[in-house]
């Protein structure tokens, strides 16, 4: 009889997703990690928001930055670090990221530039 594989504990899954968001070589995989992180309650897993914020600000791929911004908006995380980061990201070099920023700010009940 083979031992049954246990599913990863939610905390471990969060850490693995954060690692993928930070280290995976492929932008599509980093985007998927961000989307998966957005499924978790950010209040129960406080490490999710800083990881998404960091990737939103620093990822070299615009698609990942935009994906992280979108996730933050959908998560309803209208806390000061999120709102402040999104406001500064209005100046992102990529138009798609800037568009996601405005959408996320609107979802969070913040004034937009439009």
């Amino acid at each position: 009889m083979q031992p049954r594989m246990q599913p990863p504990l939610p905390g471990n899954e969060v850490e693995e997703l954060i690692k993928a968001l930070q280290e995976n070589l492929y932008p599509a995989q980093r985007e998927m990690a961000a989307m998966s992180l957005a499924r978790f309650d950010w209040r129960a897993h406080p490490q999710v928001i800083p990881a998404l914020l960091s990737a939103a600000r620093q990822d070299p791929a615009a698609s990942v930055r935009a994906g992280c911004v979108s996730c933050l908006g959908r998560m309803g995380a209208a806390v000061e670090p999120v709102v402040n980061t999104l406001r500064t990201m209005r100046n992102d070099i990529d138009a798609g990221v800037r568009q996601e920023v405005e959408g996320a700010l609107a979802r969070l009940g913040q004034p937009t530039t439009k």
Side-chain angles (χ1 to χ4, degrees):
M1 229 181 193
Q2 291 184 337
R4 249 183 129 172
M5 296 275 298
Q6 294 286 349
L9 298 173
N12 292 340
E13 184 179 354
V14 167
E15 294 306 320
E16 287 181 27
L17 289 167
I18 289 172
K19 184 176 180 180
L21 177 62
Q22 295 170 343
E23 298 176 6
N24 198 289
L25 296 177
Y26 301 104
Q29 295 295 317
R30 295 193 305 272
E31 259 184 274
M32 287 178 53
M35 287 187 282
S36 295
L37 283 168
R39 294 186 335 234
F40 291 91
D41 179 357
W42 58 273
R43 291 170 194 92
H45 300 279
Q47 67 273 44
V48 169
I49 295 293
L52 289 172
L53 287 174
S54 178
R57 286 189 306 263
Q58 299 173 357
D59 198 279
S63 62
V64 176
R65 295 193 309 275
C68 289
V69 166
S70 176
C71 287
L72 289 162
R74 284 193 325 256
M75 292 170 74
V79 293
E80 188 176 336
V82 172
V83 173
N84 289 342
T85 296
L86 292 176
R87 286 182 181 150
T88 63
M89 289 186 68
R90 284 178 163 158
N91 299 318
D92 192 274
I93 193 168
D94 185 82
V97 173
R98 294 191 304 268
Q99 184 176 354
E100 283 295 335
V101 166
E102 293 305 322
L105 286 169
R107 276 183 241 121
L108 297 176
Q110 300 297 311
T112 64
T113 58
K114 293 182 178 178

